[in-house]
């Protein structure tokens, strides 16, 4: 492709088609930026806008109040000793793995772990061992299996995904943290789907490290991640450059800048508020699940009753319809889109993930009605 005016015009006039749809894709529901935040962002859109009054350490900038946010507010919000911002949950996990281990060490993860835990471990040169889940239909991970596997593989780091990104299972992370602390193994909790949605205390979870994702669960534009660290690890994780004494090596000198951090900060009051209403979200989800399970051939897998907005749905009925529908396995995606709903991957019918997080009751009812109508095709 050559760069000419007509090609460039395609970039000038980009529109987001999905804006007018109800989006039930779990990875997108917690990253919707509220209107109040959007109004502030314009002023900060220039590349290094946050750096106007930087004296050399980004997380110590006083105007805008980055220092207060990173060093006072977030540690209190997460009940953790120290926090840094990163480019995402995956970067936070990589930073921990890279700082505390040496190549060929083992990291122990749950079988439901997100692919980024595996890729981060690969990048850090680590071996990966998994704690198996209980299989169909709940896919739960048992704390005792962690204990056994720790004794067997002697990991350098233990990771738990809380909740996991497939089933939304909230496993007994406190117990696993207790086991890790008794066995003196550092313990990281991946809270990409929980920090910013539900109350999280690193101390209560017995975590050495907690990891969050601004664009997934904290109403931020991103890319931005959270890394919370227990005091005893601060020196290792936040070690400084030998040559540039105020720059932290793992952050490559500075954490995220510009819109990612400004949107995270501006949305934060809204996030604090919504976390207080987490129980209402769970109630809404249970209502949704109950209603769609009235359709014969639809079943929620994973922990029951669900305790998270992300859920894994088994839908035999949609699979059956796909076998005779002229659009084949793309029928579900097409039919939902016709009804103003997106977020289930094109081609999926047998199983899919779904979230109703922050949807209004009438929007949830619209999704339920759509499922009911489609099941009658
Ligand atoms: C459980 C889980 N962890 C981590 C991630 C990655 O988050 P990030 O994009 O902030 O690296 C995801 C993204 O889908 C996820 O579902």
């Amino acid at each position: 492709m050559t760069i000419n005016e007509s090609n460039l015009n395609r970039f000038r006039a980009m529109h987001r088609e999905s804006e007018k749809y109800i989006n039930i894709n779990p990875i997108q529901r917690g990253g919707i930026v509220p209107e109040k935040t959007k109004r502030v962002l314009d002023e900060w859109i220039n590349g290094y806008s946050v750096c106007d009054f930087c004296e050399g350490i980004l997380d110590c900038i006083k105007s805008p109040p980055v220092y207060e946010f990173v060093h006072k507010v977030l540690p209190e919000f997460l009940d953790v000793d120290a926090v840094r911002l990163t480019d995402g949950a995956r970067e936070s996990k990589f930073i921990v793995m890279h700082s505390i281990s040496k190549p060929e060490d083992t990291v122990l993860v749950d079988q439901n772990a997100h692919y980024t835990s595996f890729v981060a471990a690969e990048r850090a040169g680590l071996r990966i061992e998994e704690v198996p889940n209980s299989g169909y239909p709940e896919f739960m991970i048992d704390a005792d299996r962690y204990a056994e596997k720790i004794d067997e593989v002697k990991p350098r780091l233990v990771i738990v995904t809380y909740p996991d990104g497939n089933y939304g299972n909230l496993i007994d992370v406190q117990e696993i943290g207790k086991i890790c602390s008794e066995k003196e193994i550092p313990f990281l909790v991946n809270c990409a789907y929980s920090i910013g949605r539900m109350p999280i205390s690193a101390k209560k979870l017995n975590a050495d490290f907690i990891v969050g994702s601004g664009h997934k669960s904290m109403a931020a534009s991103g890319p931005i991640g959270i890394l919370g660290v227990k005091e005893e690890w601060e020196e290792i994780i936040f070690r400084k450059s030998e040559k540039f004494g105020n720059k932290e090596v793992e952050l490559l000198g500075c954490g995220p800048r510009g819109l990612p951090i400004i949107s995270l900060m501006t949305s934060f009051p809204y996030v604090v508020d919504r976390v207080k209403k987490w129980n209402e979200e769970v109630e809404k989800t249970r209502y949704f699940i109950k209603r769609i399970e009235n359709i014969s051939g639809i079943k929620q897998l994973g922990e029951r009753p669900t305790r998270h907005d992300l859920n894994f749905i088994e839908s035999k009925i949609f699979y059956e319809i796909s076998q005779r529908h002229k659009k084949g396995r793309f029928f579900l995606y097409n039919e939902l889109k016709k009804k103003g709903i997106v977020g289930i991957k094109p081609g999926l019918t047998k199983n899919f993930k779904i979230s109703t997080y922050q949807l209004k009751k009438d929007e949830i009812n619209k999704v339920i009605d759509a499922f009911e109508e489609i099941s009658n095709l």
Side-chain angles (χ1 to χ4, degrees), residues 27 88-91 93 114 116 161 163 165 190 192-193 213 215-216:
I27 70 161
R90 68 195 75 197
E91 282 81 0
K93 289 183 278 189
H114 193 247
T116 54
T161 322
N190 176 8
Y193 263 114
S213 173
H215 42 279
K216 182 180 293 297

Side-chain angles (χ1 to χ4, degrees), residues 133 158 174 192 203 324:
N133 64 39
V158 164
Q174 264 166 292
K203 296 209 168 114
R324 54 181 152 80

Side-chain angles (χ1 to χ4, degrees), residues 253-272:
C254 293
R257 35 220 176 271
L259 282 193
I261 184 164
I262 290 294
S263 66
L264 185 76
M265 288 167 67
T266 314
S267 285
F268 187 69
Y270 160 82
V271 165
V272 170

Side-chain angles (χ1 to χ4, degrees), residues 54 56-62 65-71 83-85 248 251 253-255 261:
C54 180
I57 305 177
L58 194 138
D59 53 68
C60 289
I61 292 172
K62 301 271 170 40
V66 179
Y67 175 81
E68 195 186 335
F69 182 65
V70 173
H71 295 284
V83 170
R84 291 294 185 276
L85 299 178
E248 290 174 2
L251 293 180
C254 293
I261 184 164

